Amino acid sequence: MPMFSFEGLSPQVHPDAWIAPTATLIGDVVVEKDASIWYGAVIRADFGKIVIREGANIQDNSVIHVNDGVCEVGRNVTVGHQCLVHDCTIGEQALIGNGSTVLDKAEIGARALVAAGATVTPGMIVPPEMIAMGSPAKKHVPLTDSSRLWVDHNAEIYRQLARRHAEGIVPLD
């Protein structure tokens, strides 16, 4: 997997995390136990620090970047495919839907869901256990039964899938 030190700061990856061979980590990045970083994801910490907490999964082609502070992705968070997460805080077990954007200094509460394609604008706060919808994500509604299932189970599904990939992918010539 491509990992790069930048100005003396290098990614720190727990031995029980899984990083896809085509994911890229740059600079002051911390990836905790049982987290997974999927194919094509880029995590670039050249201005500040990025922390991917235990059990979180950053799915294919997502990008995480930070300004001069800390961007934190909480425990058991799912960042779906092709998301942009920029200089924000994502609370424990939140789910960031495919193609979503979460911008500077936004705060996503624990177990909240950012709907697919939504844009969370700078400084916006999405309360815990709410769904943020729209672009910009002005509409916030309580989790529904079906969305609660995704929030409850997605991190474990990806933890198991990461183990399968760690054991089962084989490069082809």
Side-chain angles (χ1 to χ4, degrees), residues 25-109:
L25 281 61
I26 303 157
D28 196 5
V29 175
V30 175
V31 180
E32 293 183 350
K33 181 180 179 181
D34 291 331
S36 58
I37 314 297
W38 291 80
Y39 303 93
V42 175
I43 302 176
R44 181 166 56 94
D46 46 10
F47 289 122
K49 184 174 193 162
I50 297 172
V51 180
I52 310 299
R53 295 284 180 207
E54 184 175 337
N57 62 91
I58 313 303
Q59 294 179 13
D60 310 70
N61 296 316
S62 286
V63 174
I64 301 178
H65 188 243
V66 63
N67 286 333
D68 61 353
V70 176
C71 180
E72 183 171 344
V73 176
R75 288 172 47 102
N76 297 317
V77 162
T78 292
V79 174
H81 309 286
Q82 294 186 329
C83 292
L84 171 61
V85 172
H86 197 271
D87 197 28
C88 58
T89 302
I90 302 175
E92 186 169 332
Q93 206 166 345
L95 193 152
I96 310 303
N98 295 341
S100 296
T101 300
V102 182
L103 294 172
D104 302 52
K105 307 305 178 208
E107 296 179 22
I108 308 301

Side-chain angles (χ1 to χ4, degrees), residues 119-151:
T119 299
V120 176
T121 55
M124 180 179 283
I125 296 173
V126 177
E129 299 208 11
M130 296 294 280
I131 302 171
M133 297 180 278
S135 186
K138 290 184 177 180
K139 185 175 181 184
H140 297 171
V141 299
L143 286 177
T144 62
D145 288 343
S146 62
S147 60
R148 190 175 308 281
L149 287 173
W150 284 104
V151 169

